[in-house]
Amino acid sequence: MTAGKAPRASGRSGAGGRASSGARPVVTRRREVSHTSARSLLMTMLGEFVLPKGRPVWTAVLVEALAMFDVEEKSARQSLARTATEGWLVSERMGRQVRWELTPPGRRLLTEGAQRIYGFGTDEDTWDGRWLVVLVSVPEAKRDLRPRLRTRLSWAGFGSPESGVWVTPHMNRESEARAVLAELGLADEAMSFAASYGAVGSEAAMVGRAWDLTELEEHYEAFIDEFTGLNPAGGDDVLRAQTRLVHEWRRFPFLDPRLPRALLPENWSGSKAAELFHEKHVEWRPAALQRWDELQDGHEPVGAKR
């Protein structure tokens, strides 16, 4: 997915609806690539509840928690198996039950993700007006690399106002761009510059061509609409609300290039959305973690060691 081009979030129905909404569509393997897939929900729960607790989690707990989003048990178990195959989880059988523990790489992955998700929107760097410009020409013989290059540089916060031209106001992203180009075997076809915008054309117009800020703002406004005024009662309701809050927010670090304030439209919705996320996350987290512990304790076999 590229910045500003993710599927539009629904603020009212489906797995993307309010935590207190009614029936939701079943999440199955047919929707594995979607934002609300069983596996992506699983990763959200692992990062939000399993990582900070530091204790293994029973299969039954994850199946029950995913069922709150109408994820079928078969799909939940398949997601667990795939996540283990990728090296993020390891299982241990105790009698008839199985529990899962994060591997060291899994803990690192989720810790880095948590730092990016929870820290996103809390800081605003000053900008000296300079742009990092990367020029990269992808030979026709390597044209299959073009989608991968676009995805990787977009995730790194770069925008492309013209074919072969990538820009970002964050000068510290050069090492990340260099790593991407080296990994794709395109380093010899690329050049980078540090530059200030000149007198020809409009800097605002360039930004508009490089990033779809209108669509990004629509995503932020949908997030604000979904969670403003939402007050879960507790129990499953607060666990579901907290999971959904983090699940929706975790995509914004990949969608939003975090442009300096001077380059953003007035009354930018991203600032309000960030404030809302951090307020709700702090408010709901104790009760959500308590409910998670209750699920764990309810499925704990007699004699099992934590």
Side-chain angles (χ1 to χ4, degrees), residues 192-234:
S192 65
F193 304 88
S196 298
Y197 197 86
V200 179
S202 163
E203 190 171 47
M206 183 195 71
V207 169
R209 294 170 69 167
W211 293 280
D212 190 346
L213 295 182
T214 299
E215 187 169 354
L216 176 58
E217 189 156 40
E218 288 176 359
H219 289 310
Y220 274 129
E221 289 172 354
F223 180 89
I224 293 168
D225 179 66
E226 181 172 355
F227 294 103
T228 296
L230 183 60
N231 296 299

Side-chain angles (χ1 to χ4, degrees), residues 122-144:
T122 60
D123 56 349
E124 187 172 329
D125 296 333
T126 57
W127 183 49
D128 61 4
R130 292 191 303 160
W131 290 89
L132 172 62
V133 182
V134 175
L135 306 181
V136 54
S137 176
V138 181
E140 188 64 20
K142 298 181 179 180
R143 62 181 179 275
D144 59 312

Side-chain angles (χ1 to χ4, degrees), residues 20 43-44 86-87 102 123 140 151 157 164 174 182 195 197-198 213 218 247 270 280 284 297 304:
S20 58
M43 294 302 288
T44 296
E86 292 171 358
L102 292 169
D123 56 349
E140 188 64 20
T151 296
E174 187 172 27
Y197 197 86
L213 295 182
E218 288 176 359
H247 193 66
K280 295 295 186 181
W284 296 344
D297 294 341

